[in-house]
Amino acid sequence: MSKLIVGNWKLNPESASEAEALASAVDRRGTVVCPPFLYLATLKKALKRAKLGSQDAFWLNSGAYTGEVSPSQLKSLGVKYVIVGHSERRRFLLESDEMINRKVEAVLHLKLNAILCIGEDLETHGRGGGAALAYIKEQLRRDLDNIDVKYLKNLIVAYEPVWAISTFQTGLRDTPENAQKTIEQIKDFLAKRYRLSQSVVLYGGSVNAANASGYLSQASIDGVLVGAASLKPNEFNKIGI
Ligand code: PGA
């Protein structure tokens, strides 16, 4: 199976014309581009090869929910992938596992691909001795609570250790070997608990052109979720090549 390369643009760029130019510069098969909501329609036209993704979705499809964007609106715009539960939303928007659980379910019910982000924080990581794995499993249990297993075939998990995100300056990041080990354990958990024998799990956290092949060459890592480097075509275009 070819590996999936997902670009998460976060709160960038500044204007629709920059978004259009960036989209054209990174448009290739096997990739997913996730711009801010307000550039989705522009990118739908600009992208010929890459798939369109969003960075979030609400858990209901209509109603009095000011400021929200529904999975069905995203679907009608041509969105195929929806990131849910990114650690920045958990942290800055106080998204709870209960909210994330409803979002994952709503996205999967529409047969969109949900990219569920999980990962331990620095404090948990520092405790060692299986603390990170216990934390991740608990996130998965809560985020997938009560979702009928028949919907889980469109689930993609992104393992993003929170302490390794946006850490290009400090150089703090997980090693490919350690990420491989954790992802193997995540897959094992998904297989045992949800009977998902073919789960898809990505790695994310300071992935760039220089280190991507280390992660992508690991047997259990099915792709990468890329933040900062997805805004630089000369970096992003080298990932997965
Ligand atoms: P980063 O972001 O590549 O800039 O660390 C990854 C992410 O937050 O998905």
Side-chain angles (χ1 to χ4, degrees), residues 83-234:
I83 297 173
V84 182
H86 192 282
S87 61
E88 286 150 12
R89 297 195 59 84
R90 293 179 191 257
R91 180 177 170 203
F92 299 116
L93 283 301
L94 304 184
E95 280 196 11
S96 64
D97 287 309
E98 290 69 27
M99 292 158 83
I100 292 162
N101 174 238
R102 296 183 73 182
K103 289 180 176 202
V104 174
E105 185 169 41
V107 166
L108 292 177
H109 276 201
L110 285 181
K111 297 195 168 58
L112 293 166
N113 298 291
I115 302 177
L116 169 63
C117 298
I118 54 163
E120 79 283 3
D121 54 24
L122 188 59
E123 198 261 329
T124 308
H125 177 70
R127 263 190 271 143
L133 191 65
Y135 184 98
I136 291 165
K137 284 184 182 173
E138 186 56 23
Q139 274 186 324
L140 283 171
R141 265 187 223 107
R142 290 171 188 261
D143 297 347
L144 300 177
D145 188 37
N146 274 322
I147 300 179
D148 193 320
V149 290
K150 75 171 185 263
Y151 293 109
L152 294 180
K153 67 176 184 338
N154 287 332
L155 173 75
I156 296 169
V157 171
Y159 170 56
E160 298 204 298
V162 176
W163 50 272
I165 295 177
S166 302
T167 49
F168 287 104
Q169 276 84 3
T170 57
L172 202 60
R173 65 181 63 123
D174 212 352
T175 63
E177 294 71 26
N178 199 48
Q180 154 71 25
K181 225 184 284 168
T182 308
I183 287 178
E184 222 177 275
Q185 288 165 319
I186 290 172
K187 289 188 166 184
D188 202 46
F189 178 75
L190 291 170
K192 288 203 176 101
R193 190 174 167 96
Y194 304 99
R195 286 176 274 126
L196 282 179
S197 54
Q198 301 279 308
S199 58
V200 177
V201 184
L202 316 178
Y203 173 76
S206 301
V207 174
N208 60 20
N211 63 31
S213 61
Y215 295 102
L216 291 168
S217 61
Q218 302 294 327
S220 301
I221 301 183
D222 299 310
V224 284
L225 178 52
V226 184
S230 72
L231 299 167
K232 300 180 190 141
N234 61 343

Side-chain angles (χ1 to χ4, degrees), residues 35-41 53-77 79 82-84 89 95 103 106-107 110 112:
F37 285 135
L38 77 169
Y39 302 145
L40 284 169
S54 75
Q55 298 174 17
D56 184 37
F58 191 53
W59 57 74
L60 292 173
N61 284 317
S62 65
Y65 303 101
T66 302
E68 293 302 326
V69 175
S70 73
S72 58
Q73 288 171 327
L74 293 168
K75 187 171 180 164
S76 76
L77 209 56
V79 165
V82 181
I83 297 173
V84 182
R89 297 195 59 84
E95 280 196 11
K103 289 180 176 202
V107 166
L110 285 181
L112 293 166

